[in-house]
Amino acid sequence: MAEDIRDWIGRTETVADVAAAGAYQRLAGLLDHEAPPWRAGEAPLLGHWLNFLPEALQSQIGPDGHPKRGGFLPPVVLPRRMWAGSRLTFAGAMPLGAAIERRSTIRDVQPKSGRSGEMVFVTVQHEVWADGGLAVTEAQDIVYREAPRPDVAPTPATPAPVEAAPPAEWSRTVVPDPVLLFRYSALTYNSHRIHYDRDFCRDAEGYPGLVVHGPLIATLLMDHYLRRHPGAGVGGFSFRAQSPLFDIAAFILNGRETAAGAELWAAGEDGRIAMTATVQAG
């Protein structure tokens, strides 16, 4: 299997869309902004995640709610899929109404074995072009993992150990609920059942609640930075998921200024770090 899926390295895909204002206005509503802190006349930073949405037929949806494997992404048989992180460079603006194009390339496919079982790491390079100019470059990391063993009842995921975090200079508490998760799933056309099907989360995945989307947490961290720096230019942004957050408890967005921009992190109320991120000021 390893050789077959590594044959996907170098595969490319190009899709087109329009930077329509409506999606970004709905994102502003989700983030509770009457006047959003991003630059007027432009798509928000990370707004391209609301574009180029999947178009799989209903008959091609898998048991977890995701489109079935194959096509552009390699046909990894491991059923659990997670967006583990991204590294982004913002090269230019995406003006509202611009014709946009995403050019994607599979850069790496790495099968690995560890204490948690078999895994496959896939790195996808995206370039987003707006009206013919490069706007965003993103290296996205996707992780595939084994399903729970059928002869062992699922148990709640073991939380990551609490790590010492640097003192935050500004913080904000987010109280996630099924409505927040539903609205973000709708914005991104994400049908993964871990975000809305509590029975699936409990019985199939062993989670204690609905899972907060990784890109939603990253979007909230970017928003946390922009609330402090409205209209700021950002040259780069990277994030790494460390442990899941659920809709059963609040979590805290944190930030501290650095010489290059800012360090950001999301943590549970117990201090457990769920995601870290860095902003490079532009």
Side-chain angles (χ1 to χ4, degrees), residues 154-155 197-209:
T155 55
D197 187 336
R198 200 174 299 276
D199 290 342
F200 179 84
C201 285
R202 180 188 62 244
D203 300 336
E205 299 282 354
Y207 290 134

Side-chain angles (χ1 to χ4, degrees), residues 1 5 8 64 66-85 106 108-114 116-124 126 140-148 192 205 207 240:
M1 181 190 77
I5 61 174
W8 256 250
D64 64 352
H66 266 310
K68 293 177 181 178
R69 307 300 198 269
F72 170 64
L73 289 172
V76 179
V77 297
L78 303 176
R80 288 176 160 180
R81 193 184 328 186
M82 181 183 72
W83 184 345
I106 305 294
D108 198 15
V109 180
Q110 288 288 343
K112 295 185 179 181
S113 297
S116 58
E118 298 296 318
M119 295 181 289
V120 174
F121 294 81
V122 177
T123 301
V124 183
H126 299 295
Q140 182 186 75
D141 299 320
I142 304 169
V143 180
Y144 297 82
R145 297 183 295 127
E146 290 182 344
H192 196 183
E205 299 282 354
Y207 290 134
R240 173 65 53 182

